[in-house]
Amino acid sequence: MWIGAVALVVAGFFLVRHAVEIGLLTPGVRTLLAALFAVILVAASEAARRIPALAEDSRIGQALAGAGIASSYATLYIAAALYHLIGPLPAFVLMIAVTTLGLFLALRHGPPTAVLALAGGFVAPLVAGYDAAGIGPLLIYLGLFTAALFGLAIHRGWSWLALAATAVGFGWVNFLLVALDPNLLTGPAAFVIALALAATLALPRTGVTSAWLRAAPIVVGLVQLLVFAPALQFDGFAWSFYLILAAAALILAWRDARHLPGALAALGLSLALLAIALSAPDHGATFIAAPVLAVLFAAPGLILLDRARSWAILALGGVAGPVLLANLLEPSRLTDWQWAGLELIAAVLASSISWRRRAATDSHDPGLIAGALIAAILAASALGQLVPAEWLPAILALVTLGLGLWARRTGDAALLTLPILGLFATLLAGIEPVVDYALLIAQSLAGEPLTAPLLPPLADALRALLPLIAIVALAIHPRLFGRLRNAALGIGIAAAILLLYHLAKLPLAIADDARFVSLGFVERALITHALFAAAILLRTRLPAIAPILFGLALGRLLWFDLFVLNPLFVAQQVALLPLALHFALTGVWLHRFLPPPAATRAAMAAALLATLAAVRQLAHGSIVTGPIGIGENYGYSIALLLLAIAWLTLGIRAASRDLRLAGLGLLTFVTLKVFLIDAAALDGLLRILSFLGLGVALIGIGWVYRRFLAARPKASVADA
């Protein structure tokens, strides 16, 4: 049937075209015939409603009515645009009449006719010339027509018609935005407000239930005005339109909570417009609109804070958004102390929101959580503008401590995690000394002996590291920092170690090769033993920190003293702190910290190093570099022999299998060394006697050890 209706319309067009081609009719007659054809179609649609045989199928009347409306718009196009038989203003009036007829027929015949009325009514101004009668009459026509469509949609419950009318209405606004001169855009901008509000009120009455779909007209209107504002150069009209629509969104949300999504969207888009305006070369009336915008959202948000969570977001957006954006994008507008004053006032308001929502613990309440976070940001920004840049880490630490104390006061799980943000912000604010330390550590690990000149200035180090340590002190609370608690502790411990390392490097201040030779080993050893001692002291008090300190001390000893800066290869004075004492003390630390049997084995390794170091230092003096002499070689044999006997004796008395086996192994090694290496220069009978003595000695060692095993109970023998 609808294809047939289209065929009727096409037939009318071809009839007129044929008459034109053969020159049979004048333009006036052709137009009159087209109008008559449209009237006949409309009349036929009405007849179809009354003739019983046709009334049974409503589609016949709908098709004829739709064809009649389409033919009416085509006739108007022929008369006005093709033949210029009527002027723009009469054409505009006739267009309104045809549109009214279309709405009337849609009311009588139903949705299909309404579709044609919708399409024809919005396209008709293009036929007559959208600016034929001026922009004002065009907007009045669009407004009345859209209102009529809304009324029809409400009457029939056609939500699709209301949505379509809204979409096409905004489409017209976009067309005008492109087509008109910027000086003529005030009217279309005002039309956006009317359309957005009318659609927002109409949609629920047509059966729309989705909260976001109900908020769509307001959101689209705000986006549309966001596009209009730069064209209007952010003048008073642009901002007033935007503020009016935002206020309308708040009023609707106040009356019906289902409109809160629209109010939230209004907040976000308003702040976006503010950011765009502040970034533009010409701000227009932005600095007058900014405080109005702040009050517009903050006042109702603070008043209605206890009604719904979304009001807390609106309040915080109004309190913090405008002042932070203005300070960030246009800081020269006010002095630092003026910005600081405004932000401190905003911080107090944000804190009050968090305080008022303190009972909503562990409910992910935005007022409690976001209020505290935004208050901290505002306070940090305000105080940061009143102090030199190098003191920013201290300001951030102070604010983070306040945030952490408030989190501990409320006990809210989400709020307890927020101080980690302040910790990372403090770390970034003082990153320059931290980078200096990282470079120093890298060069030190590579074997650079002169590290004191690489240290950052102490004042900068204190300003960067002390705030980190202070923040991490909050971690005494077991839930603070949440899942990132270990990361926070790691940052704090690293900061404390770096600071102590810096302080430990200051007394000797080794800055040249001569001082390194005389004091390098002593300084390094003292720092290592200080770390060992701290690990022992904190083992029970701070069990999470003690292993870190112990591992750091042991790593320093293995890497520096035995590898990259070993005194055997790199000349260093060892007189002030003998090597033997250094390794012996290390053995004490290892024995006290490690659990058995690792403690015994580590202590034996340290004792072995201490014995070797004692012989080396006795042979070479304070500088232990150089080749091994004959006397030193024999000294190693004697010292290791005494150590082996001591281990065997202690192992037997203490019933320590590790000591006995280590003593036996070392004794065997020393015996082999004496007869195979120390006596290597012997020849003839002496060599024979040396091997004879080696055999007797090894057999004697085995016999003595076996006698010992035989004298012990069977259970102990099995252990041996």
Side-chain angles (χ1 to χ4, degrees), residues 368-383:
L368 174 64
I369 301 168
L373 178 60
I374 291 175
I377 293 172
L378 288 165
S381 177
L383 297 175

Side-chain angles (χ1 to χ4, degrees), residues 237-330:
F237 277 114
W239 272 111
S240 62
F241 292 151
Y242 214 90
L243 293 173
I244 288 171
L245 192 54
L250 290 169
I251 292 172
L252 290 171
W254 165 60
R255 297 190 61 183
D256 187 347
R258 288 175 294 184
H259 288 288
L260 275 171
L264 293 172
L267 170 64
L269 292 169
S270 298
L271 294 177
L273 177 61
L274 180 61
I276 294 171
L278 290 171
S279 302
D282 185 5
H283 304 319
T286 300
F287 276 95
I288 298 175
V292 178
L293 183 67
V295 175
L296 178 65
F297 286 98
L302 290 169
I303 294 171
L304 303 175
L305 185 63
D306 298 328
R307 179 181 288 190
R309 292 184 172 190
S310 296
W311 288 107
I313 300 175
L314 294 169
L316 291 169
V319 164
V323 66
L324 287 176
L325 285 174
N327 190 3
L328 177 66
L329 298 175
E330 193 65 23

Side-chain angles (χ1 to χ4, degrees), residues 605-626:
L608 180 60
L609 288 174
T611 301
L612 296 174
V615 174
R616 181 72 176 181
Q617 190 165 350
L618 286 173
H620 290 268
S622 61
I623 302 293
V624 296
T625 56

Side-chain angles (χ1 to χ4, degrees), residues 11 74 87 144 173 216 224 274 335 337 343 349 367 377 392 421 482 500 522 578 583 590 645 685 690:
L144 293 175
V173 171
Q224 191 69 70
L274 180 61
T335 63
W337 70 266
E343 289 177 342
L349 292 174
I377 293 172
L392 184 58
L421 299 177
L500 292 173
V522 175
F583 289 115
L590 293 172
I645 295 172
L685 182 61
S690 69

Side-chain angles (χ1 to χ4, degrees), residues 64-157:
L64 292 172
I69 293 299
S71 298
S72 299
Y73 283 120
T75 301
L76 184 61
Y77 173 77
I78 293 172
L82 187 60
Y83 296 137
H84 304 289
L85 297 176
I86 57 177
L89 185 58
F92 191 78
V93 174
L94 288 173
M95 176 191 64
I96 295 176
V98 172
T99 302
T100 304
L101 176 63
L103 291 174
F104 173 75
L105 292 176
L107 187 61
R108 290 175 64 82
H109 291 280
T113 307
V115 172
L116 280 179
L118 171 70
F122 278 115
V123 174
L126 295 176
V127 174
Y130 69 91
D131 57 348
I135 300 303
L138 172 64
L139 294 175
I140 293 174
Y141 163 75
L142 291 174
L144 293 175
F145 179 59
T146 306
L149 289 175
F150 285 158
L152 179 61
I154 293 171
H155 179 71
R156 288 296 187 93

Side-chain angles (χ1 to χ4, degrees), residues 522-609:
V522 175
E523 180 188 66
R524 189 168 65 252
L526 290 176
I527 293 175
T528 299
H529 289 298
L531 289 171
F532 274 130
I536 297 296
L537 292 174
L538 298 177
R539 182 172 51 180
T540 57
R541 297 177 178 86
L542 295 174
I545 298 176
I548 298 174
L549 299 177
F550 184 84
L552 184 59
L554 185 59
R556 282 176 53 84
L557 185 139
L558 296 175
W559 180 256
F560 293 113
D561 295 343
L562 299 182
F563 188 55
V564 295
L565 295 177
N566 191 326
L568 293 177
F569 314 116
V570 181
Q572 299 161 79
Q573 291 277 357
V574 293
L576 294 177
L577 180 61
L579 281 172
L581 178 60
H582 175 52
F583 289 115
L585 189 56
T586 299
V588 174
W589 302 131
L590 293 172
H591 190 267
R592 293 195 59 184
F593 191 86
L594 296 175
T600 302
R601 295 167 183 172
M604 286 191 296
L608 180 60
L609 288 174

Side-chain angles (χ1 to χ4, degrees), residues 21 137 139 181 187 315 432 532 693 716:
E21 289 175 349
L139 294 175
D181 186 89
E432 185 175 352
F532 274 130
S716 300

